[in-house]
Each structure stands twice: as C-alpha cells, then as structure tokens.
Amino acid sequence: MEAVIGLIIGIVIGAVISGGVLWLVSKLGLGLTVAGFGSAMIAGLLIGFVSNLVVAALPGPGAIGAIVHLVVAAAVIFLCAKLLKGLTVDGFAGALLAAVSIAVINYLIGFALVGVV
C-alpha cells in the first residue's frame, strides 16, 4: 500500500513540475501555448508518459543520443498537441524549440535543486 501511495505522490509531483515548466515555456512564447495551468499539467503527464515509453528504446548518452532525444521529445509534443485541446504548437519547429526550452529549464531546475547535474 505504501508503494502505491508513493507512486501517486510521485505522479502528482511530476505533473506539477512538468505543468509548471510547460506553462513557463508557454509564457515565454517559444512555439508552445497552453490554455491554463490545468491543461499544462495534463499535457505534462501525457508528454512524460509517452516520452518515457519511447525513450527506453533510444540510444544512450552522448551527442547523438541527446539529439535523438530532443527530436523524439519534439515529436511527442507535436503529437500531444494534436490530442489535447488545451495545448497548441506552432508546427514541428515550434515543438522542437519548445523541447529545447523544456530541456534547458529542467536542467536549470535540477541544478538549482541538486547542485550537480
């Protein structure tokens, strides 16, 4: 039972962080727009879920792996924008710019929280 509660808490924390990052990228006007924070949380959950399924089969670390991960993240964002009403993307280039922005913001958050990434 404790494992289930921990999983639920982890999902909620992940949704809030992902939603906050998506909302921030939306406010920066970098190719991605969300209708509100609730839409950003739902989009963050969906993008995170699909990305984790796809990324498991991709190459590991390195320059090529990083580029592949960014392209896959952009494709997932583009796909999720087609599935969700509250998420819009300005074409694949907008999705790619949003994916890069999300990666940079997540890196900065990780650096601020942990100190070493």
PDB file of all heavy atoms in Angstrom, residues 24-55:
ATOM      1  N   LEU A  24       5.522  27.750 -18.113  1.00  0.00           N
ATOM      2  CA  LEU A  24       6.580  28.753 -18.251  1.00  0.00           C
ATOM      3  C   LEU A  24       7.015  28.902 -19.705  1.00  0.00           C
ATOM      4  O   LEU A  24       7.149  30.013 -20.213  1.00  0.00           O
ATOM      5  CB  LEU A  24       7.785  28.386 -17.369  1.00  0.00           C
ATOM      6  CG  LEU A  24       8.979  29.324 -17.421  1.00  0.00           C
ATOM      7  CD1 LEU A  24       8.591  30.705 -16.930  1.00  0.00           C
ATOM      8  CD2 LEU A  24      10.116  28.768 -16.583  1.00  0.00           C
ATOM      9  N   VAL A  25       7.228  27.774 -20.382  1.00  0.00           N
ATOM     10  CA  VAL A  25       7.608  27.823 -21.807  1.00  0.00           C
ATOM     11  C   VAL A  25       6.498  28.492 -22.615  1.00  0.00           C
ATOM     12  O   VAL A  25       6.770  29.277 -23.524  1.00  0.00           O
ATOM     13  CB  VAL A  25       7.928  26.406 -22.340  1.00  0.00           C
ATOM     14  CG1 VAL A  25       8.073  26.402 -23.843  1.00  0.00           C
ATOM     15  CG2 VAL A  25       9.205  25.883 -21.694  1.00  0.00           C
ATOM     16  N   SER A  26       5.247  28.227 -22.267  1.00  0.00           N
ATOM     17  CA  SER A  26       4.126  28.865 -22.953  1.00  0.00           C
ATOM     18  C   SER A  26       4.159  30.383 -22.779  1.00  0.00           C
ATOM     19  O   SER A  26       3.930  31.130 -23.722  1.00  0.00           O
ATOM     20  CB  SER A  26       2.812  28.298 -22.417  1.00  0.00           C
ATOM     21  OG  SER A  26       1.714  28.981 -22.958  1.00  0.00           O
ATOM     22  N   LYS A  27       4.465  30.820 -21.570  1.00  0.00           N
ATOM     23  CA  LYS A  27       4.517  32.254 -21.293  1.00  0.00           C
ATOM     24  C   LYS A  27       5.691  32.929 -21.993  1.00  0.00           C
ATOM     25  O   LYS A  27       5.648  34.123 -22.276  1.00  0.00           O
ATOM     26  CB  LYS A  27       4.602  32.514 -19.780  1.00  0.00           C
ATOM     27  CG  LYS A  27       3.359  32.105 -19.038  1.00  0.00           C
ATOM     28  CD  LYS A  27       2.158  32.869 -19.541  1.00  0.00           C
ATOM     29  CE  LYS A  27       0.906  32.436 -18.814  1.00  0.00           C
ATOM     30  NZ  LYS A  27      -0.295  32.984 -19.400  1.00  0.00           N
ATOM     31  N   LEU A  28       6.748  32.169 -22.293  1.00  0.00           N
ATOM     32  CA  LEU A  28       7.909  32.735 -22.986  1.00  0.00           C
ATOM     33  C   LEU A  28       7.669  32.893 -24.483  1.00  0.00           C
ATOM     34  O   LEU A  28       8.450  33.536 -25.171  1.00  0.00           O
ATOM     35  CB  LEU A  28       9.144  31.850 -22.747  1.00  0.00           C
ATOM     36  CG  LEU A  28       9.651  31.787 -21.309  1.00  0.00           C
ATOM     37  CD1 LEU A  28      10.774  30.767 -21.188  1.00  0.00           C
ATOM     38  CD2 LEU A  28      10.123  33.154 -20.848  1.00  0.00           C
ATOM     39  N   GLY A  29       6.591  32.302 -25.002  1.00  0.00           N
ATOM     40  CA  GLY A  29       6.256  32.430 -26.415  1.00  0.00           C
ATOM     41  C   GLY A  29       7.243  31.707 -27.327  1.00  0.00           C
ATOM     42  O   GLY A  29       7.654  32.244 -28.343  1.00  0.00           O
ATOM     43  N   LEU A  30       7.601  30.496 -26.953  1.00  0.00           N
ATOM     44  CA  LEU A  30       8.613  29.753 -27.703  1.00  0.00           C
ATOM     45  C   LEU A  30       8.028  28.606 -28.527  1.00  0.00           C
ATOM     46  O   LEU A  30       8.608  27.534 -28.611  1.00  0.00           O
ATOM     47  CB  LEU A  30       9.673  29.216 -26.735  1.00  0.00           C
ATOM     48  CG  LEU A  30      10.460  30.283 -25.992  1.00  0.00           C
ATOM     49  CD1 LEU A  30      11.339  29.666 -24.936  1.00  0.00           C
ATOM     50  CD2 LEU A  30      11.290  31.103 -26.969  1.00  0.00           C
ATOM     51  N   GLY A  31       6.883  28.819 -29.162  1.00  0.00           N
ATOM     52  CA  GLY A  31       6.332  27.818 -30.054  1.00  0.00           C
ATOM     53  C   GLY A  31       5.301  26.893 -29.439  1.00  0.00           C
ATOM     54  O   GLY A  31       4.743  26.056 -30.123  1.00  0.00           O
ATOM     55  N   LEU A  32       5.034  27.043 -28.157  1.00  0.00           N
ATOM     56  CA  LEU A  32       4.092  26.181 -27.454  1.00  0.00           C
ATOM     57  C   LEU A  32       3.157  27.059 -26.641  1.00  0.00           C
ATOM     58  O   LEU A  32       3.611  28.003 -25.993  1.00  0.00           O
ATOM     59  CB  LEU A  32       4.858  25.227 -26.529  1.00  0.00           C
ATOM     60  CG  LEU A  32       4.024  24.302 -25.670  1.00  0.00           C
ATOM     61  CD1 LEU A  32       4.488  22.873 -25.899  1.00  0.00           C
ATOM     62  CD2 LEU A  32       4.172  24.652 -24.209  1.00  0.00           C
ATOM     63  N   THR A  33       1.865  26.753 -26.691  1.00  0.00           N
ATOM     64  CA  THR A  33       0.881  27.522 -25.936  1.00  0.00           C
ATOM     65  C   THR A  33      -0.044  26.567 -25.202  1.00  0.00           C
ATOM     66  O   THR A  33      -0.481  25.573 -25.773  1.00  0.00           O
ATOM     67  CB  THR A  33       0.033  28.398 -26.879  1.00  0.00           C
ATOM     68  OG1 THR A  33       0.899  29.186 -27.692  1.00  0.00           O
ATOM     69  CG2 THR A  33      -0.881  29.316 -26.108  1.00  0.00           C
ATOM     70  N   VAL A  34      -0.301  26.842 -23.920  1.00  0.00           N
ATOM     71  CA  VAL A  34      -1.270  26.066 -23.150  1.00  0.00           C
ATOM     72  C   VAL A  34      -2.391  26.997 -22.709  1.00  0.00           C
ATOM     73  O   VAL A  34      -2.176  28.182 -22.499  1.00  0.00           O
ATOM     74  CB  VAL A  34      -0.630  25.363 -21.922  1.00  0.00           C
ATOM     75  CG1 VAL A  34       0.304  24.267 -22.350  1.00  0.00           C
ATOM     76  CG2 VAL A  34       0.080  26.336 -21.029  1.00  0.00           C
ATOM     77  N   ALA A  35      -3.597  26.422 -22.583  1.00  0.00           N
ATOM     78  CA  ALA A  35      -4.775  27.213 -22.226  1.00  0.00           C
ATOM     79  C   ALA A  35      -4.724  27.676 -20.769  1.00  0.00           C
ATOM     80  O   ALA A  35      -5.256  28.714 -20.428  1.00  0.00           O
ATOM     81  CB  ALA A  35      -6.043  26.415 -22.488  1.00  0.00           C
ATOM     82  N   GLY A  36      -4.090  26.906 -19.897  1.00  0.00           N
ATOM     83  CA  GLY A  36      -4.012  27.246 -18.484  1.00  0.00           C
ATOM     84  C   GLY A  36      -3.136  26.234 -17.767  1.00  0.00           C
ATOM     85  O   GLY A  36      -2.603  25.302 -18.382  1.00  0.00           O
ATOM     86  N   PHE A  37      -2.998  26.412 -16.461  1.00  0.00           N
ATOM     87  CA  PHE A  37      -2.109  25.523 -15.714  1.00  0.00           C
ATOM     88  C   PHE A  37      -2.653  24.098 -15.671  1.00  0.00           C
ATOM     89  O   PHE A  37      -1.890  23.139 -15.716  1.00  0.00           O
ATOM     90  CB  PHE A  37      -1.872  26.051 -14.295  1.00  0.00           C
ATOM     91  CG  PHE A  37      -0.777  25.323 -13.583  1.00  0.00           C
ATOM     92  CD1 PHE A  37       0.537  25.508 -13.952  1.00  0.00           C
ATOM     93  CD2 PHE A  37      -1.061  24.433 -12.560  1.00  0.00           C
ATOM     94  CE1 PHE A  37       1.555  24.825 -13.317  1.00  0.00           C
ATOM     95  CE2 PHE A  37      -0.053  23.746 -11.912  1.00  0.00           C
ATOM     96  CZ  PHE A  37       1.266  23.951 -12.295  1.00  0.00           C
ATOM     97  N   GLY A  38      -3.965  23.929 -15.596  1.00  0.00           N
ATOM     98  CA  GLY A  38      -4.559  22.586 -15.608  1.00  0.00           C
ATOM     99  C   GLY A  38      -4.255  21.857 -16.910  1.00  0.00           C
ATOM    100  O   GLY A  38      -3.877  20.676 -16.920  1.00  0.00           O
ATOM    101  N   SER A  39      -4.389  22.559 -18.026  1.00  0.00           N
ATOM    102  CA  SER A  39      -4.043  21.973 -19.323  1.00  0.00           C
ATOM    103  C   SER A  39      -2.560  21.646 -19.389  1.00  0.00           C
ATOM    104  O   SER A  39      -2.163  20.633 -19.972  1.00  0.00           O
ATOM    105  CB  SER A  39      -4.397  22.944 -20.449  1.00  0.00           C
ATOM    106  OG  SER A  39      -5.776  23.164 -20.518  1.00  0.00           O
ATOM    107  N   ALA A  40      -1.734  22.500 -18.797  1.00  0.00           N
ATOM    108  CA  ALA A  40      -0.287  22.256 -18.781  1.00  0.00           C
ATOM    109  C   ALA A  40       0.038  20.996 -17.975  1.00  0.00           C
ATOM    110  O   ALA A  40       0.903  20.211 -18.371  1.00  0.00           O
ATOM    111  CB  ALA A  40       0.447  23.459 -18.207  1.00  0.00           C
ATOM    112  N   MET A  41      -0.663  20.779 -16.843  1.00  0.00           N
ATOM    113  CA  MET A  41      -0.420  19.582 -16.038  1.00  0.00           C
ATOM    114  C   MET A  41      -0.820  18.318 -16.785  1.00  0.00           C
ATOM    115  O   MET A  41      -0.088  17.332 -16.776  1.00  0.00           O
ATOM    116  CB  MET A  41      -1.161  19.674 -14.701  1.00  0.00           C
ATOM    117  CG  MET A  41      -0.503  20.603 -13.713  1.00  0.00           C
ATOM    118  SD  MET A  41      -1.343  20.701 -12.118  1.00  0.00           S
ATOM    119  CE  MET A  41      -1.566  19.027 -11.667  1.00  0.00           C
ATOM    120  N   ILE A  42      -1.965  18.354 -17.440  1.00  0.00           N
ATOM    121  CA  ILE A  42      -2.408  17.186 -18.212  1.00  0.00           C
ATOM    122  C   ILE A  42      -1.446  16.932 -19.364  1.00  0.00           C
ATOM    123  O   ILE A  42      -1.054  15.789 -19.613  1.00  0.00           O
ATOM    124  CB  ILE A  42      -3.854  17.393 -18.709  1.00  0.00           C
ATOM    125  CG1 ILE A  42      -4.813  17.396 -17.522  1.00  0.00           C
ATOM    126  CG2 ILE A  42      -4.248  16.315 -19.716  1.00  0.00           C
ATOM    127  CD1 ILE A  42      -6.215  17.845 -17.845  1.00  0.00           C
ATOM    128  N   ALA A  43      -1.046  17.984 -20.056  1.00  0.00           N
ATOM    129  CA  ALA A  43      -0.090  17.834 -21.156  1.00  0.00           C
ATOM    130  C   ALA A  43       1.247  17.317 -20.636  1.00  0.00           C
ATOM    131  O   ALA A  43       1.878  16.455 -21.265  1.00  0.00           O
ATOM    132  CB  ALA A  43       0.103  19.171 -21.868  1.00  0.00           C
ATOM    133  N   GLY A  44       1.687  17.804 -19.485  1.00  0.00           N
ATOM    134  CA  GLY A  44       2.941  17.329 -18.895  1.00  0.00           C
ATOM    135  C   GLY A  44       2.888  15.853 -18.562  1.00  0.00           C
ATOM    136  O   GLY A  44       3.847  15.116 -18.811  1.00  0.00           O
ATOM    137  N   LEU A  45       1.763  15.406 -18.021  1.00  0.00           N
ATOM    138  CA  LEU A  45       1.597  13.981 -17.728  1.00  0.00           C
ATOM    139  C   LEU A  45       1.640  13.143 -19.005  1.00  0.00           C
ATOM    140  O   LEU A  45       2.334  12.127 -19.074  1.00  0.00           O
ATOM    141  CB  LEU A  45       0.276  13.732 -17.005  1.00  0.00           C
ATOM    142  CG  LEU A  45       0.259  13.949 -15.511  1.00  0.00           C
ATOM    143  CD1 LEU A  45      -1.157  13.826 -14.968  1.00  0.00           C
ATOM    144  CD2 LEU A  45       1.167  12.965 -14.815  1.00  0.00           C
ATOM    145  N   LEU A  46       0.902  13.576 -20.017  1.00  0.00           N
ATOM    146  CA  LEU A  46       0.854  12.819 -21.267  1.00  0.00           C
ATOM    147  C   LEU A  46       2.205  12.816 -21.974  1.00  0.00           C
ATOM    148  O   LEU A  46       2.681  11.773 -22.420  1.00  0.00           O
ATOM    149  CB  LEU A  46      -0.229  13.390 -22.183  1.00  0.00           C
ATOM    150  CG  LEU A  46      -0.462  12.635 -23.493  1.00  0.00           C
ATOM    151  CD1 LEU A  46      -0.897  11.198 -23.212  1.00  0.00           C
ATOM    152  CD2 LEU A  46      -1.515  13.344 -24.321  1.00  0.00           C
ATOM    153  N   ILE A  47       2.852  13.974 -22.054  1.00  0.00           N
ATOM    154  CA  ILE A  47       4.159  14.066 -22.698  1.00  0.00           C
ATOM    155  C   ILE A  47       5.176  13.221 -21.942  1.00  0.00           C
ATOM    156  O   ILE A  47       5.963  12.488 -22.543  1.00  0.00           O
ATOM    157  CB  ILE A  47       4.605  15.537 -22.801  1.00  0.00           C
ATOM    158  CG1 ILE A  47       3.746  16.272 -23.816  1.00  0.00           C
ATOM    159  CG2 ILE A  47       6.084  15.636 -23.189  1.00  0.00           C
ATOM    160  CD1 ILE A  47       3.903  17.782 -23.785  1.00  0.00           C
ATOM    161  N   GLY A  48       5.173  13.299 -20.627  1.00  0.00           N
ATOM    162  CA  GLY A  48       6.104  12.497 -19.828  1.00  0.00           C
ATOM    163  C   GLY A  48       5.884  11.014 -19.997  1.00  0.00           C
ATOM    164  O   GLY A  48       6.833  10.238 -20.141  1.00  0.00           O
ATOM    165  N   PHE A  49       4.625  10.591 -20.011  1.00  0.00           N
ATOM    166  CA  PHE A  49       4.310   9.170 -20.149  1.00  0.00           C
ATOM    167  C   PHE A  49       4.754   8.639 -21.507  1.00  0.00           C
ATOM    168  O   PHE A  49       5.456   7.628 -21.602  1.00  0.00           O
ATOM    169  CB  PHE A  49       2.807   8.951 -19.949  1.00  0.00           C
ATOM    170  CG  PHE A  49       2.379   7.529 -20.110  1.00  0.00           C
ATOM    171  CD1 PHE A  49       2.671   6.592 -19.137  1.00  0.00           C
ATOM    172  CD2 PHE A  49       1.696   7.120 -21.240  1.00  0.00           C
ATOM    173  CE1 PHE A  49       2.284   5.267 -19.284  1.00  0.00           C
ATOM    174  CE2 PHE A  49       1.303   5.810 -21.400  1.00  0.00           C
ATOM    175  CZ  PHE A  49       1.600   4.875 -20.424  1.00  0.00           C
ATOM    176  N   VAL A  50       4.359   9.329 -22.577  1.00  0.00           N
ATOM    177  CA  VAL A  50       4.712   8.874 -23.926  1.00  0.00           C
ATOM    178  C   VAL A  50       6.222   8.947 -24.137  1.00  0.00           C
ATOM    179  O   VAL A  50       6.821   8.031 -24.711  1.00  0.00           O
ATOM    180  CB  VAL A  50       3.946   9.687 -24.997  1.00  0.00           C
ATOM    181  CG1 VAL A  50       4.406   9.331 -26.397  1.00  0.00           C
ATOM    182  CG2 VAL A  50       2.445   9.471 -24.854  1.00  0.00           C
ATOM    183  N   SER A  51       6.851  10.007 -23.658  1.00  0.00           N
ATOM    184  CA  SER A  51       8.305  10.145 -23.814  1.00  0.00           C
ATOM    185  C   SER A  51       9.049   9.010 -23.126  1.00  0.00           C
ATOM    186  O   SER A  51       9.995   8.459 -23.685  1.00  0.00           O
ATOM    187  CB  SER A  51       8.789  11.478 -23.253  1.00  0.00           C
ATOM    188  OG  SER A  51       8.300  12.537 -24.018  1.00  0.00           O
ATOM    189  N   ASN A  52       8.632   8.660 -21.931  1.00  0.00           N
ATOM    190  CA  ASN A  52       9.307   7.582 -21.206  1.00  0.00           C
ATOM    191  C   ASN A  52       9.141   6.240 -21.902  1.00  0.00           C
ATOM    192  O   ASN A  52      10.040   5.405 -21.867  1.00  0.00           O
ATOM    193  CB  ASN A  52       8.816   7.504 -19.763  1.00  0.00           C
ATOM    194  CG  ASN A  52       9.403   8.601 -18.914  1.00  0.00           C
ATOM    195  OD1 ASN A  52      10.517   9.036 -19.138  1.00  0.00           O
ATOM    196  ND2 ASN A  52       8.641   9.067 -17.950  1.00  0.00           N
ATOM    197  N   LEU A  53       8.003   6.016 -22.534  1.00  0.00           N
ATOM    198  CA  LEU A  53       7.815   4.787 -23.290  1.00  0.00           C
ATOM    199  C   LEU A  53       8.741   4.728 -24.500  1.00  0.00           C
ATOM    200  O   LEU A  53       9.337   3.694 -24.799  1.00  0.00           O
ATOM    201  CB  LEU A  53       6.367   4.654 -23.758  1.00  0.00           C
ATOM    202  CG  LEU A  53       5.328   4.347 -22.701  1.00  0.00           C
ATOM    203  CD1 LEU A  53       3.941   4.326 -23.332  1.00  0.00           C
ATOM    204  CD2 LEU A  53       5.618   3.025 -22.020  1.00  0.00           C
ATOM    205  N   VAL A  54       8.881   5.848 -25.190  1.00  0.00           N
ATOM    206  CA  VAL A  54       9.678   5.891 -26.416  1.00  0.00           C
ATOM    207  C   VAL A  54      11.175   5.938 -26.111  1.00  0.00           C
ATOM    208  O   VAL A  54      11.972   5.256 -26.755  1.00  0.00           O
ATOM    209  CB  VAL A  54       9.258   7.101 -27.285  1.00  0.00           C
ATOM    210  CG1 VAL A  54      10.167   7.252 -28.486  1.00  0.00           C
ATOM    211  CG2 VAL A  54       7.811   6.952 -27.729  1.00  0.00           C
ATOM    212  N   VAL A  55      11.562   6.720 -25.117  1.00  0.00           N
ATOM    213  CA  VAL A  55      12.982   6.938 -24.821  1.00  0.00           C
ATOM    214  C   VAL A  55      13.670   5.661 -24.355  1.00  0.00           C
ATOM    215  O   VAL A  55      14.866   5.493 -24.563  1.00  0.00           O
ATOM    216  CB  VAL A  55      13.129   8.075 -23.779  1.00  0.00           C
ATOM    217  CG1 VAL A  55      14.511   8.130 -23.181  1.00  0.00           C
ATOM    218  CG2 VAL A  55      12.799   9.407 -24.426  1.00  0.00           C
TER     219      VAL A  55
END
